[in-house]
Amino acid sequence: MGRLFGTDGVRGVANLELTPKLAYQLGQAGAYVLTGETKHTPKILVGMDTRISGDMLEAALISGICSVGAQVVSLGVIPTPAIAYLTRQYDADAGVVISASHNPFEYNGIKFFNSNGYKLPDAIEDKIEEIIQNDGEDLPKPVGQNIGFKCYQENALEDYVNFVKGTISGDLEGIKVAIDCANGASFQAAPMALFDLKAEVSVINNEPDGTNINSGCGSTHMQQLQAYVKEIKADIGLAFDGDADRVLAVDENGNIVDGDQIMAIIGLYLKDKGVLAQNTVVATVMSNMGLDIMAKNNGLNIEKTKVGDRYVLEEMLNKGYMLGGEQSGHIIFLDHNTTGDGLLTAVQLMKVLKDSGKKLSELASVMQILPQILINAKVTNEKKYKYLDDEVIKKMCKELEDEFKGEGRVLIRPSGTEPLVRVMIEGKNKDIITRRAKELVRVIEGRLS
């Protein structure tokens, strides 16, 4: 059996890979591991997105949690970041989200948060897996009044929306916003928050039917929102993913404003107000080099981590930074929440828009996005990590970096799952970097196939 947990919980096609049996086992083992130290009846929050498989998996997961004597608080359909926040707010011992984020509707996933609202470290996930592999033989089997039970928290969504609204002062009156809820977990929370903040709100893709989540809409399919923003002459468009832990924006001209640009806009705003910890933004190695150039010109520091929001968060916690995220729009405001939060990011961005009095296109223009070319080199699985040791490949990369003179870069990394080495080249001239990327791919394939 391969490792159950991927980079963001356990995911798979619902009822085929992520079965009710596995959900039950995850509920049992997760509840036991995350609440083992408690001296009271453990309390675990459970929420989900809008997928048709959510009810099936929720029933199984909750059964597993109750079977080891824990109490479940069911929150229904709610954004992932709401679970992270409410786990702390409600003094729960853990939180669980049933969601496969931006994946198509037939997939689903199960993701845990600890009592402090953080995703689990590998060591805790390994403990949960070990129990499942042993068929839960050593788990407690309470009977009678010690069996767990389920209750409902009817005002959970309202509590989360009030929290998000409270992260800014004043309101968003005067801003015309178009939002694409991806027929996902933000379909109630996002309109509610922005209406309450007095923005002029128009909404698309907020009628989930269990099978239309992320279907040609949301942050992975921006064309519909881009056209809609121009059609209704909105000041800004906001596109959430299925579980609303990330957001991308669209300016008044219908151009996409990605996570790097959102961090640049908000980072500069917070720095000018003197409230950006160490004047630093944490990004990943996949962030556009335009972010580095913008930072250098504006007295901002950019710290880089490996790809993945868990590494961004780790760096923020270790060094005391408060703003970080990814190009995909997964942005963490550590002063407010413990995970990426699409609605929180949206509200913060709109606050900058209102306070500055500028158009979003003007705010985004502080950062010039350099063209990026990404090509996969087909190699053997055994050799895909050997690129680091190959002198010819290293020499060619060095020559390319020298050629770009600080206005471009080369990034090579092996695929975690396929026999590929991903080659990304960034620079000012798209034709030149495309040609160079193809040359480098040919060399890598010749050396590592």
Side-chain angles (χ1 to χ4, degrees):
M1 178 175 165
R3 192 167 194 271
L4 279 178
F5 286 89
T7 50
D8 209 14
V10 178
R11 275 195 200 166
V13 176
N15 216 24
L16 181 66
E17 296 159 333
L18 182 53
T19 60
K21 182 183 176 183
L22 180 53
Y24 177 82
Q25 291 172 313
L26 283 163
Q28 275 191 314
Y32 178 70
V33 169
L34 289 167
T35 66
E37 303 301 311
T38 59
K39 300 288 183 272
H40 56 265
T41 299
K43 181 166 74 173
I44 297 178
L45 308 187
V46 174
M48 60 182 174
D49 67 21
T50 57
R51 288 161 214 271
I52 195 169
S53 58
D55 291 337
M56 173 185 78
L57 293 171
E58 185 199 39
L61 177 83
I62 288 176
S63 295
I65 294 170
C66 291
S67 77
V68 292
Q71 173 195 347
V72 171
V73 182
S74 175
L75 307 185
V77 172
I78 199 162
T80 287
I83 295 276
Y85 165 72
L86 294 171
T87 298
R88 305 190 305 279
Q89 181 68 11
Y90 295 163
D91 201 21
D93 297 287
V96 195
V97 180
I98 302 166
S99 171
S101 188
H102 60 280
N103 293 127
F105 85 93
E106 60 267 26
Y107 289 83
N108 218 324
I110 291 176
K111 178 163 50 182
F112 291 90
F113 291 96
N114 68 17
S115 60
N116 295 315
Y118 291 109
K119 292 177 187 175
L120 306 187
D122 290 346
I124 300 291
E125 289 180 345
D126 289 343
K127 276 187 189 174
I128 294 171
E129 283 206 18
E130 196 180 323
I131 289 170
I132 292 172
Q133 284 168 350
N134 292 335
D135 287 330
E137 282 176 14
D138 300 326
L139 291 175
K141 295 176 178 62
V143 295
Q145 64 182 21
N146 296 320
I147 291 173
F149 58 94
K150 177 175 89 167
C151 61
Y152 296 92
Q153 183 76 32
E154 303 293 350
N155 57 341
L157 197 68
E158 205 176 308
D159 289 344
Y160 169 65
V161 165
N162 286 337
F163 148 70
V164 171
K165 291 189 313 192
T167 64
I168 62 166
S169 56
D171 58 38
L172 300 173
E173 194 171 0
I175 297 180
K176 186 173 186 179
V177 58
I179 55 178
D180 180 345
C181 296
N183 293 311
S186 66
F187 86 101
Q188 293 168 299
M192 196 191 298
L194 298 179
F195 275 124
D196 285 357
L197 286 167
K198 300 183 181 174
E200 186 185 336
V201 187
S202 298
V203 193
I204 55 174
N205 300 309
N206 63 328
E207 296 180 359
D209 64 8
T211 64
N212 60 1
I213 186 171
N214 300 319
S215 180
C217 58
S219 64
T220 47
H221 305 88
M222 300 284 287
Q223 300 86 341
Q224 202 184 141
L225 181 64
Q226 288 174 277
Y228 188 56
V229 164
K230 288 197 289 185
E231 181 193 324
I232 68 167
K233 296 184 169 54
D235 300 309
I236 182 173
L238 298 162
F240 300 94
D241 69 337
D243 70 335
D245 65 352
R246 53 176 145 165
V247 69
L248 292 178
V250 171
D251 72 16
E252 73 284 358
N253 302 314
N255 299 313
I256 292 172
V257 178
D258 71 11
D260 286 341
Q261 293 168 293
I262 292 170
M263 287 192 290
I265 292 166
I266 295 173
L268 286 177
Y269 172 81
L270 295 175
K271 174 183 170 282
D272 291 346
K273 285 195 155 323
V275 294
L276 181 64
Q278 301 171 59
N279 287 339
T280 297
V281 175
V282 181
T284 76
V285 290
M286 287 304 284
S287 276
N288 194 278
M289 199 170 174
L291 185 64
D292 299 274
I293 294 167
M294 176 284 305
K296 198 173 169 186
N297 294 339
N298 289 277
L300 266 181
N301 307 312
I302 304 289
E303 290 286 335
K304 294 279 181 77
T305 73
K306 287 192 288 188
V307 176
D309 62 284
R310 62 163 59 197
Y311 302 113
V312 172
L313 178 61
E314 208 173 85
E315 181 75 1
M316 293 171 75
L317 289 168
N318 288 343
K319 307 271 181 68
Y321 304 132
M322 54 142 324
L323 178 64
E326 297 184 287
Q327 206 173 38
S328 60
H330 198 284
I331 296 170
I332 303 169
F333 292 83
L334 211 42
D335 281 5
H336 302 301
N337 209 347
T338 48
T339 190
D341 190 327
L343 184 54
L344 173 61
T345 303
V347 166
Q348 297 291 325
L349 181 61
M350 288 177 69
K351 173 70 172 166
V352 180
L353 199 62
K354 175 157 183 178
D355 283 2
S356 69
K358 295 177 179 176
K359 292 188 181 299
L360 184 56
S361 59
E362 190 183 344
L363 289 171
S365 71
V366 72
M367 175 184 155
Q368 182 200 350
I369 293 182
L370 298 189
Q372 278 183 341
I373 295 295
L374 181 64
I375 306 179
N376 291 326
K378 295 180 179 69
V379 300
T380 62
N381 251 333
E382 303 78 62
K383 290 186 179 176
K384 72 180 179 184
Y385 296 101
K386 298 263 177 71
Y387 72 94
L388 288 168
D389 308 319
D390 190 291
E391 291 303 325
V392 174
I393 296 171
K394 280 203 293 192
K395 182 168 181 279
M396 189 169 178
C397 291
K398 171 80 168 64
E399 285 169 356
L400 285 171
E401 294 274 10
D402 291 344
E403 181 186 322
F404 294 142
K405 298 186 181 69
E407 292 187 337
R409 64 181 176 130
V410 181
L411 182 69
I412 304 178
R413 62 191 186 98
S415 163
T417 53
E418 299 170 274
L420 301 171
V421 169
R422 305 195 194 283
V423 172
M424 192 275 282
I425 298 189
E426 209 167 54
K428 289 196 164 175
N429 187 309
K430 192 169 186 180
D431 293 337
I432 290 173
I433 64 171
T434 302
R435 192 170 72 247
R436 291 286 192 257
K438 287 176 179 172
E439 288 168 6
L440 183 52
V441 163
R442 277 197 296 274
V443 170
I444 290 171
E445 288 180 340
R447 306 284 297 179
L448 302 182
S449 295

